[in-house]
Amino acid sequence: MDLPQSFVIAESSHRIHNPFDSRKLADLGEALHLTPGQTMLDLASGSGEMLCTWARDHGISGTGVDISTAFTGQAQARAAELGVSDRVAFVHGDAAGHVAPERVDIAACIGATWIGGDAAGTVALLEQSLKPNGLMLIGEPYWRLDPPDEATVRGCYMESKDDRFPLPGLIDHFDGLGYDVVEMVLADQDTWDRYAAAQWLNTRRWLDANPGHELAAEMRHRLDTSRTNHVRYQRDYLGWGVFALMKR
Ligand code: SAH
């Protein structure tokens, strides 16, 4: 049970595996008015940057669960580097169906809502770990611009235009699940580049260092297609944000 190696190669230098940069992640932490001692569960925590920096900056504590052994190891190393290992823990495991043993103040899933099937399923999953009046954080893509054709939909790695909402539709969707959207921080095209374009250099360096590797052809193809898809489609058509929800 692990994340395919191709993702680990492409995102080997990333601390944040989503279209936020460190400034936006910090902005989100500030926007939520976090207080010392608050507890957090982060499903699909990646390399743990959110929990580690918010533990350092706001004194929260928490647990991250992720299926990648490589990212979980990086998260543990980052916690040690930032001096917060006593307050955050990172567990390797499948986050699908994961419920915290004790309810938390903040329950998050940033950029991995497939763990609950979709956004609605992930809201239902996180709800089981959240205290009454707790904050739920969902990181999710939306259509920034209406995709005009099938090529745009596919270039954004979607099967169908209906796989995503436009921003007002996504807010309405959360509303329909019985939640108020109480805050949001959105990626922009430059922070998208920090996620997407950073993968090109990681991949190219890996290819140069690993000629003849069994994944070389796949990684070469990925470099070429992901670059085209990003500059032609994703960067313009796909928005991404983190939405803070409170149950009505
Ligand atoms: N939330 C992190 C990582 C987002 S990338 C961040 O914003 O930086 C998506 C993450 O989901 C990857 O770290 C991947 O390993 C993890 N993942 C994918 N499927 C998973 C599953 N079933 N259970 C736990 N983690 C999963």
Side-chain angles (χ1 to χ4, degrees), residues 99-141:
V99 177
E102 276 181 46
R103 287 183 182 263
V104 294
D105 298 298
I106 307 138
C109 178
I110 307 300
T113 50
W114 58 85
I115 64 162
D118 54 19
T122 300
V123 166
L125 172 62
L126 290 173
E127 190 172 302
Q128 297 174 57
S129 296
L130 195 59
K131 287 182 188 170
N133 285 322
L135 274 177
M136 190 182 290
L137 304 179
I138 301 276
E140 189 71 344

Side-chain angles (χ1 to χ4, degrees), residues 55-245:
R56 176 194 64 190
D57 299 341
H58 303 286
I60 65 156
S61 61
T63 301
V65 180
D66 199 280
I67 210 161
S68 165
T69 46
F71 293 167
T72 300
Q74 285 175 192
Q76 288 159 347
R78 184 68 169 151
E81 184 187 352
L82 298 187
V84 295
S85 298
D86 55 336
R87 271 178 284 140
V88 297
F90 293 98
V91 181
H92 172 243
D94 189 351
H98 182 96
V99 177
E102 276 181 46
R103 287 183 182 263
V104 294
D105 298 298
I106 307 138
C109 178
I110 307 300
T113 50
W114 58 85
I115 64 162
D118 54 19
T122 300
V123 166
L125 172 62
L126 290 173
E127 190 172 302
Q128 297 174 57
S129 296
L130 195 59
K131 287 182 188 170
N133 285 322
L135 274 177
M136 190 182 290
L137 304 179
I138 301 276
E140 189 71 344
Y142 58 88
W143 292 120
R144 183 173 171 271
L145 297 173
D146 191 42
D149 51 31
E150 193 63 26
T152 307
V153 171
R154 303 243 167 227
C156 293
Y157 303 97
M158 305 292 161
E159 298 281 314
S160 150
K161 180 175 159 174
D162 298 333
D163 287 356
R164 299 292 164 210
F165 296 99
L167 182 58
L170 183 56
I171 303 289
D172 286 349
H173 182 62
F174 289 130
D175 186 75
L177 297 174
Y179 277 82
D180 289 327
V181 175
V182 294
E183 252 295 2
M184 66 177 193
V185 175
L186 304 181
D188 59 33
Q189 287 172 297
D190 294 329
T191 63
W192 244 125
D193 295 342
R194 289 309 82 236
Y195 178 55
Q199 298 184 33
W200 310 339
L201 183 58
N202 292 341
T203 305
R204 173 54 202 266
R205 289 241 159 98
W206 182 89
L207 282 167
D208 288 354
N210 294 276
H213 192 284
E214 59 177 12
L215 286 177
E218 179 188 336
M219 294 310 296
R220 180 73 235 179
H221 177 72
R222 186 182 166 123
L223 172 58
D224 296 337
T225 54
S226 68
R227 196 173 44 210
T228 305
N229 283 339
H230 182 65
V231 296
R232 195 172 283 210
Y233 304 114
Q234 252 184 346
R235 190 175 196 279
D236 287 321
Y237 287 93
L238 208 58
W240 192 89
V242 178
F243 302 88
L245 316 179

Side-chain angles (χ1 to χ4, degrees), residues 3-87:
L3 188 68
Q5 200 191 346
S6 57
F7 289 91
V8 179
I9 294 166
E11 301 186 25
S12 60
S13 73
H14 291 59
R15 283 197 174 127
I16 301 173
H17 304 274
N18 71 53
F20 267 8
D21 62 2
S22 55
R23 184 63 251 166
K24 290 213 182 253
L25 191 60
D27 285 348
L28 177 64
E30 282 164 30
L32 299 175
H33 309 296
L34 303 171
T35 52
Q38 281 187 312
T39 55
M40 181 164 173
L41 173 70
D42 187 12
L43 296 185
S45 45
S47 298
E49 192 68 1
M50 182 167 69
L51 271 172
C52 289
T53 55
W54 290 4
R56 176 194 64 190
D57 299 341
H58 303 286
I60 65 156
S61 61
T63 301
V65 180
D66 199 280
I67 210 161
S68 165
T69 46
F71 293 167
T72 300
Q74 285 175 192
Q76 288 159 347
R78 184 68 169 151
E81 184 187 352
L82 298 187
V84 295
S85 298
D86 55 336
R87 271 178 284 140

